[in-house]
Amino acid sequence: DLMKAAENSKNKLHMILAMRGSIRLLGLDNKRSAEETIGMYKQAMSLAPDAGEKKRVLSGLANTKSLDALQLVRGYFKDKALLEESESAAVKIAGGIYEKYPQQALDVLQKIVQATSNEALRKQAQEVINKINGSSKQVDE
């Protein structure tokens, strides 16, 4: 209902508040299928009026542990305004799905380690890579 209110509101403030509420609730409900949840996050991204609101959506999406969620956030790596938030979300998602999808998680994490300008995020990604590889080696400093 909140997503519908966000979609149909003519008042920008009401739309943003409804969208934020919807994003918050998406993270709480675990009875919905992953596909349905991803679809709702996609809808929220399409409604988000600016980078700040899109970052909120990516932050919420980070809690969705699915391959589709990882692929969705990966699509935002090319957007400079959303790069750091999308990389952060990808690391969090990969950390939750690597046992089931090790190669897909590894591919995204390696890209982040090579490209990110955020050293803390690089270390987090490397830690998940180490788990995937069954290794305890540390990031070169």
Side-chain angles (χ1 to χ4, degrees), residues 3-23:
M3 192 64 76
K4 287 179 186 175
E7 192 171 14
N8 296 321
S9 180
K10 297 192 186 324
N11 181 309
K12 185 177 178 180
L13 177 62
H14 293 165
M15 186 273 293
I16 288 173
L17 292 173
M19 191 178 74
R20 287 181 184 176
S22 178
I23 292 165

Side-chain angles (χ1 to χ4, degrees), residues 23 41 54-63 85 89 92:
I23 292 165
Y41 276 113
K54 289 179 191 270
K55 287 178 182 181
R56 287 181 191 273
V57 176
L58 288 168
S59 179
L61 185 58
N63 298 312
E85 193 67 42
K92 190 170 182 182

Side-chain angles (χ1 to χ4, degrees), residues 54-118:
K54 289 179 191 270
K55 287 178 182 181
R56 287 181 191 273
V57 176
L58 288 168
S59 179
L61 185 58
N63 298 312
T64 305
K65 305 300 182 229
S66 78
L67 183 58
D68 289 339
L70 184 63
Q71 292 170 342
L72 181 59
V73 299
R74 186 179 189 169
Y76 291 96
F77 287 1
K78 295 177 185 174
D79 187 329
K80 288 183 181 184
L82 302 176
L83 178 61
E84 193 166 320
E85 193 67 42
S86 62
E87 288 175 337
S88 178
V91 170
K92 190 170 182 182
I93 294 167
I97 69 167
Y98 74 87
E99 290 177 344
K100 191 170 183 180
Y101 303 103
Q103 191 58 53
Q104 293 91 333
L106 192 60
D107 291 345
V108 171
L109 292 167
Q110 287 174 334
K111 182 174 183 162
I112 292 169
V113 166
Q114 293 170 359
T116 192
S117 60
N118 182 319

Side-chain angles (χ1 to χ4, degrees), residues 19-70:
M19 191 178 74
R20 287 181 184 176
S22 178
I23 292 165
R24 186 162 179 256
L25 290 175
L26 281 173
L28 300 177
D29 184 8
N30 60 6
K31 296 176 185 174
R32 189 181 321 99
S33 73
E35 290 140 358
E36 186 179 355
T37 300
I38 298 300
M40 295 177 87
Y41 276 113
K42 285 180 181 178
Q43 182 181 9
M45 284 300 276
S46 71
L47 293 173
D50 55 39
E53 294 305 317
K54 289 179 191 270
K55 287 178 182 181
R56 287 181 191 273
V57 176
L58 288 168
S59 179
L61 185 58
N63 298 312
T64 305
K65 305 300 182 229
S66 78
L67 183 58
D68 289 339
L70 184 63

